Amino acid sequence: MIDVTRRVLARFIPASFGSRVAWVFALLFVLATVSALLLWRAHRGSTVEHAAAELLVGQIRMVQALGEAGGDAAHLKAVLARQGIRLLSGPDIPAPARLNAPLLRRLEAAMSASLGAPVHLTLRALPPRQLVVAFVWRDTPLALALPLNDWEPALPAPALGWLLLLFGVTPLASVLAFVLLQKPLRAVVRGIGEQGWRPARVAVPRHADEDVVRLVQAYNGMADQLAARDREREQMLAGVSHDIRAPLARLRMRASLSEDAELADGIVRDVASLDRITRQFIDFARVGERGGGQPGLCGDLPAVLRVAIEHACAGRDIELRVPDRVPTVIGDAAGIERMVCNLIDNAVEYGKPPFVVALEVGSDEVLLRVCDGGRGLSAEALHRACQPFVRLDPARGGSGHCGLGLSIVSGLATSFGGRLDAGHDPAGYFWIGVHLKRAG
């Protein structure tokens, strides 16, 4: 039963905080409107009853005053007729009837209390519609037949003002409260969304309530802890990597002095693998250092690609395809060269020829692709491959692979404001590339 209730509520109640706040404001407005209408109806009813009772009592006292002044019946009827009121006496007075209308019963009780004598009301529904007020004056039964016209008083001005305030100001106040409540939260979300791949502190919005302030403080505390851990890891990787390179250089030199050529070649290959892993550690640490900085600009992207292909080709035939005009992109040349080298290494190690480095210029970005003839990676495998120290092929762990190649590319791309992507071109070749934003 509880699960069913939760599912029903989840279906009708929106998921976002802003939508829920708007839903609550709308519900409160409906409840306030219904309550105000009920109160206004009660106030209006009591006002009408009081005014009607006073009006009818006034008519009776006017008849009594005219009679006290010595006017005869004919004169009295003539005066009342000019006001649209008939004076009834004798057999013309209808017999008192049991009243079913609560309003008439309350009017009858109020008039009897005001005059100090019983008063009976009769409502004639057939045309001409009349309200007959029967009373006794000097032991003589009399009655006044009043037409049911516009004797009901109009809505008092204060009540009308409250209604206008309710239906006019309340929605505006609700919208204003909603905007003021959402503005600090939107500022926090925008500040978090504008960050790069590394979390950073967020400024506390102006006029933020206590809950938003606590939320920002908790997020900033988490960001500080993550930043401290990242710095420790980067310092450890950079320090260890630099310390390892010196012994590697000595091993390479000693291998060159060995008289056993086969042993020396094996040592040189192992040293090269270790040196490659060390360079990846250093590059990964440098990617972390870029997280908070402002990326540079690359004005000659084709030249950077030629240098990267020259450094990473390793005897392979790699084709370069670039359009005639390539705009300036966001990202420094060294970082882009590192990305291309890693992508080429990945294609050579895991793919098969032909290998192509291509550029595609779009309206607001440039797509840098490295294609190969291999079967490629699924979206899940690519996501895993971008994680640090993850190797999709564990058998390659001893060949200078430590699972940082694509992680470095992804980190550099994010620091430049771009993103890593993959797919197949129309010819069926698999590619991994980077979307780089155009400068300006």
Side-chain angles (χ1 to χ4, degrees):
M1 183 64 182
I2 296 178
D3 293 337
V4 174
T5 305
R6 288 178 178 175
R7 286 196 296 269
V8 172
L9 291 177
R11 182 176 181 181
F12 292 99
I13 297 179
S16 67
F17 175 76
S19 300
R20 290 186 176 184
V21 171
W23 189 84
V24 170
F25 272 122
L27 181 61
L28 291 176
F29 176 71
V30 171
L31 292 176
T33 302
V34 172
S35 301
L37 288 175
L38 293 176
L39 291 174
W40 170 74
R41 182 179 178 182
H43 171 74
R44 180 175 180 271
S46 62
T47 303
V48 169
E49 290 177 20
H50 178 73
E54 291 295 326
L55 174 63
L56 297 175
V57 169
Q59 297 290 346
I60 294 175
R61 286 177 173 167
M62 181 184 70
V63 172
Q64 294 174 347
L66 289 175
E68 294 287 350
D72 56 7
H75 175 70
L76 188 57
K77 290 182 178 180
V79 173
L80 293 175
R82 286 196 294 268
Q83 301 181 22
I85 303 174
R86 290 175 57 206
L87 179 63
L88 305 179
S89 61
D92 295 332
I93 302 175
R98 179 181 176 84
L99 297 177
N100 294 323
L103 173 61
L104 293 181
R105 289 200 300 269
R106 290 194 298 268
L107 282 176
E108 197 175 73
M111 294 172 62
S112 299
S114 179
L115 292 172
V119 176
H120 301 285
L121 299 179
T122 303
L123 183 63
R124 288 181 174 177
L126 296 178
R129 299 176 68 246
Q130 293 177 331
L131 177 65
V132 178
V133 182
F135 61 97
V136 177
W137 179 63
R138 290 186 177 180
D139 299 329
T140 303
L142 297 175
L144 297 177
L146 295 89
L148 295 178
N149 46 22
D150 298 334
W151 58 271
E152 181 177 331
L155 180 67
L160 181 62
W162 280 111
L163 283 179
L164 293 176
L165 180 66
L166 173 68
F167 292 104
V169 178
T170 302
L172 295 178
S174 301
V175 171
L176 179 61
F178 175 74
V179 171
L180 292 178
L181 182 64
Q182 279 287 91
K183 188 175 181 181
L185 284 176
R186 291 185 181 275
V188 174
V189 173
R190 184 170 57 251
I192 295 175
E194 292 175 352
Q195 297 177 4
W197 67 283
R198 171 181 288 179
R201 294 179 64 85
V202 177
V204 178
R206 293 181 57 189
H207 309 298
D209 57 80
E210 186 177 351
D211 293 333
V212 175
V213 172
R214 286 201 298 265
L215 173 65
V216 174
Q217 291 174 348
Y219 178 84
N220 287 341
M222 180 196 69
D224 292 340
Q225 292 179 2
L226 292 176
R229 293 179 183 178
D230 287 342
R231 285 193 298 269
E232 293 175 359
R233 182 184 62 179
E234 292 157 7
Q235 291 173 359
M236 179 190 69
L237 289 176
V240 171
S241 301
H242 281 94
D243 292 342
I244 289 178
R245 301 195 77 174
L248 290 178
R250 290 195 296 270
L251 282 174
R252 187 181 292 109
M253 183 184 65
R254 290 174 182 175
S256 64
L257 299 177
S258 175
E259 296 180 356
D260 189 340
E262 183 177 356
L263 177 62
D265 290 341
I267 294 175
V268 170
R269 286 195 300 271
D270 290 340
V271 169
S273 297
L274 288 173
D275 187 59
R276 180 179 179 181
I277 293 174
T278 302
R279 287 201 309 270
Q280 289 185 346
F281 279 167
I282 295 175
D283 290 339
F284 184 72
R286 288 174 178 171
V287 170
E289 294 173 358
R290 292 172 179 266
Q294 198 70 14
L297 300 177
C298 179
D300 193 354
L301 187 55
V304 174
L305 299 184
R306 294 187 185 96
V307 173
I309 292 174
E310 182 181 350
H311 288 169
C313 66
R316 304 276 182 169
D317 185 17
I318 300 177
E319 181 183 357
L320 176 63
R321 299 175 185 173
V322 295
D324 294 335
R325 293 184 178 181
V326 179
T328 300
V329 296
I330 298 177
D332 58 81
I336 295 176
E337 181 183 342
R338 182 71 268 165
M339 288 194 299
V340 177
C341 288
N342 282 13
L343 291 176
I344 293 176
D345 289 344
N346 186 78
V348 170
E349 290 292 337
Y350 296 98
K352 60 182 181 179
F355 302 107
V356 179
V357 177
L359 289 178
E360 292 184 7
V361 179
S363 59
D364 56 354
E365 65 180 13
V366 175
L367 175 58
L368 192 164
R369 301 189 305 168
V370 176
C371 310
D372 67 80
R375 64 179 182 178
L377 298 173
S378 64
E380 180 185 1
L382 178 63
H383 177 73
R384 288 175 50 221
C386 291
Q387 304 303 313
F389 305 107
V390 172
R391 293 192 298 268
L392 298 181
D393 186 0
R396 296 180 183 266
S399 302
H401 298 273
C402 61
L404 287 176
L406 290 182
S407 178
I408 293 172
V409 175
S410 178
L412 285 171
T414 305
S415 69
F416 294 158
R419 59 186 175 89
L420 186 68
D421 199 3
H424 289 82
D425 62 14
Y429 293 112
F430 176 74
W431 60 268
I432 299 180
V434 176
H435 295 267
L436 298 173
K437 292 184 177 180
R438 297 179 58 159

